[in-house]
Amino acid sequence: MRPSLSGLLTGLATVAALLLAAPAAHAADPPLRDLATAKNKVIGTAVTGSKLTGTYGEIAGREFNWLTPGNAMKWGSVEPTRGNFNWTEADQIVDFAEAHDQDVRGHTLVWHSQNPSWLDNGTWTPAQLSQLMNDHIALEVGRYKGRLAAWDVVNEPFNEDGTYRQTLWYNGLGADYIAQALTAARAADPAAKLYINDYNVEGVNAKSTALYNLVRDLKARGVPIDGVGLQAHLILGQVPSTLQQNIQRFADLGVDVAITELDIRMQLPSTAAKLAQQRTEYDAVVKACVAVARCTGVTVWGFTDSDSWIPDTFPGQGAATPYDENYAPKPAYYGIATALGGTVTEPPVPTGCSAVYSVPNQWNTGFTGQVTISCAAGSSLSSWRVAWTFGAGQQVGQAWNANCVQTGTAVSCSNASWNGSVPSGGSVSFGFNGTWSGSNPVPTVTLG
Ligand code: XIL
């Protein structure tokens, strides 16, 4: 699983060199989904359908046992113009999930955001609105009947102070739109678990108390409600201390609780200290769910920083997910794994500067050598010298971006006038032509 490196590889010597030189950032063994299953929990991720191939698809399939379409099932995605439907991405995600033995959380049916403009901009009587909502639910839930484990039926119904959000639905139908939506969803797929989902309801506060009172009242009326979704779009350093207590109070109402959209954002740039704190906080959130029997599990809102909504929505913030942009597991990944009972062998945090030798190209009696000098965050160089000993009679010829001399089998290359400086977190490469015969083993290089 080294896609970014594989493109560089030609020739067996190079493969050998890189395998030695690049210890993979290794994910937990077993994967998160196995750890979660052993705890009777689920672990999910939001996904983008078009990305479910290659490394993204491998990780999504291997590590998670629930998927939520990040956008694909929203009203604006599935019915962009009235009566014209596009199910391509939603179908793709459901098919992928079934092929990987995963459950799907449908997201979302009744919301104030990401609706088609024909719906937002229309003028509707209450009767028309009710019909539109019920028909939409019947159609979408019906389409996937028996295939989805849960639906976020109503999304984000509350304001921060616990009053109802003034939306198309609330303004037209009153607060009872929620009960109507749940009832329509139950009729369309009796097997799917029906949720109300919101943000800033993770801790005990005015908003979560409004949600609590709503769920209590719905249950008392016999309206079908199976669970509450706590989105958990959290800010580093601000995980609510009452998270577990809050999960427990919903559970005590007789509904399931799911953490549905977990991410923990930070001010960029990320630093080792912030990422370590983020690990602790991911661990704490997942542990809070593990501690409550009716907490079904945790879904992260995108598993990689390259597929996170945070940088677009909160400029200057990011690094919110458990994998970095290059699909390497971050400390947060190990936080999730340990909260799920895993013991993980973590990759050593790189420190200092090091040199890696590779052979990008090799033919009859010639080859091209390449050496890359890299410095981890916090280390830098203002000049460098790399040395090695050839073990099979190889001979260095012309070099570029370095000055190389060979005496017997010993080679020493120092920086050119323009590339002595290797910044913190940066790298510099040089190359050379060489000759070989018989074999061309990769030497051990030292950086002086
Ligand atoms: C976000 C998506 O991730 C973005 O791609 C999109 O541009 C906006 O919506 N709460 C929700 C999710 O319930 O549907 C939102 O998803 C994030 C906040």
Side-chain angles (χ1 to χ4, degrees):
M1 195 191 69
R2 293 179 194 84
S4 57
L5 294 175
S6 62
L8 297 171
L9 301 185
T10 50
L12 288 172
T14 313
V15 176
L18 280 166
L19 287 177
L20 285 172
H26 210 283
D29 188 18
L32 298 180
R33 61 184 288 173
D34 295 356
L35 295 171
T37 301
K39 290 270 181 203
N40 205 19
K41 302 292 170 190
V42 303
I43 182 81
T45 180
V47 288
T48 302
S50 59
K51 298 185 181 173
L52 284 169
T53 58
T55 307
Y56 183 99
E58 274 169 38
I59 296 175
R62 184 187 68 224
E63 299 287 334
F64 300 94
N65 57 9
W66 276 58
L67 299 184
T68 304
N71 290 299
M73 289 187 177
K74 292 170 180 173
W75 200 329
S77 301
V78 301
E79 194 181 3
T81 59
R82 193 169 185 186
N84 287 311
F85 296 92
N86 184 351
W87 302 105
T88 311
E89 190 191 348
D91 286 353
Q92 185 187 5
I93 293 169
V94 176
D95 290 344
F96 181 97
E98 289 175 348
H100 293 81
D101 195 20
Q102 296 168 315
D103 280 324
V104 175
R105 165 176 292 274
H107 177 85
T108 178
L109 296 167
V110 182
W111 193 21
H112 63 275
S113 184
Q114 293 182 278
N115 284 325
S117 51
W118 64 262
L119 176 63
D120 274 339
N121 299 337
T123 309
W124 315 106
T125 66
Q128 287 171 324
L129 258 189
S130 184
Q131 177 102 44
L132 278 165
M133 186 182 79
N134 287 325
D135 287 353
H136 171 66
I137 292 172
L139 185 77
E140 184 157 3
V141 178
R143 178 181 180 85
Y144 297 106
K145 182 179 181 185
R147 297 177 73 191
L148 266 55
W151 270 103
D152 291 332
V153 177
V154 175
N155 202 29
E156 303 179 349
F158 288 109
N159 294 315
E160 298 305 290
D161 64 1
T163 57
Y164 282 104
R165 189 192 285 269
Q166 310 274 302
T167 68
L168 174 73
W169 310 111
Y170 181 82
N171 294 338
L173 302 173
D176 209 51
Y177 83 88
I178 296 173
Q180 286 181 39
L182 290 161
T183 304
R186 178 68 95 229
D189 186 352
K193 299 290 185 196
L194 306 181
Y195 280 68
I196 302 171
N197 191 50
D198 215 326
Y199 65 90
N200 287 351
V201 293
E202 295 76 30
V204 175
N205 58 36
K207 191 175 186 178
S208 65
T209 299
L211 178 59
Y212 177 90
N213 291 338
L214 170 65
V215 170
R216 184 196 57 202
D217 295 349
L218 290 171
K219 284 202 68 93
R221 284 169 59 193
V223 175
I225 173 74
D226 301 305
V228 295
L230 315 181
Q231 290 185 8
H233 293 294
L234 302 175
I235 299 170
L236 191 72
Q238 298 182 30
V239 177
S241 58
T242 50
L243 174 60
Q244 187 181 323
Q245 176 195 341
N246 191 46
I247 294 173
Q248 186 68 57
R249 73 169 172 158
F250 281 103
D252 292 344
L253 281 179
V255 292
D256 291 339
V257 181
I259 293 177
T260 51
E261 305 184 14
L262 176 62
D263 49 25
I264 304 181
R265 62 185 184 264
M266 62 184 69
Q267 201 65 42
L268 294 173
S270 67
T271 61
K274 289 185 207 173
L275 294 173
Q277 182 179 353
Q278 187 186 47
R279 171 189 178 148
T280 307
E281 296 184 356
Y282 263 93
D283 174 86
V285 171
V286 175
K287 274 195 179 123
C289 179
V290 168
V292 180
R294 283 203 83 142
C295 188
T296 58
V298 176
T299 289
V300 293
W301 203 245
F303 63 85
T304 157
D305 290 340
S306 69
D307 187 43
S308 168
W309 71 309
I310 295 296
D312 289 339
T313 310
F314 303 95
Q317 299 182 57
T321 79
Y323 283 80
D324 73 12
E325 284 98 345
N326 299 314
Y327 301 121
K330 291 160 57 184
Y333 174 93
Y334 300 102
I336 298 173
T338 49
L340 292 172
T343 49
V344 295
T345 320
E346 293 167 52
V349 178
T351 54
C353 301
S354 59
V356 173
Y357 178 110
S358 65
V359 180
N361 201 6
Q362 177 170 305
W363 58 96
N364 309 329
T365 57
F367 69 101
T368 308
Q370 179 172 299
V371 176
T372 299
I373 300 126
S374 309
C375 292
S379 298
S380 62
L381 295 171
S382 56
S383 66
W384 45 263
R385 198 181 72 87
V386 176
W388 65 87
T389 303
F390 275 136
Q394 301 101 316
Q395 186 70 41
V396 162
Q398 160 106 38
W400 50 94
N401 296 327
N403 302 305
C404 294
V405 291
Q406 180 163 353
T407 312
T409 57
V411 181
S412 173
C413 299
S414 55
N415 61 272
S417 59
W418 59 87
N419 66 357
S421 138
V422 185
S424 160
S427 65
V428 161
S429 294
F430 69 89
F432 59 88
N433 286 325
T435 56
W436 67 289
S437 68
S439 68
N440 187 14
V442 170
T444 306
V445 296
T446 55
L447 177 65

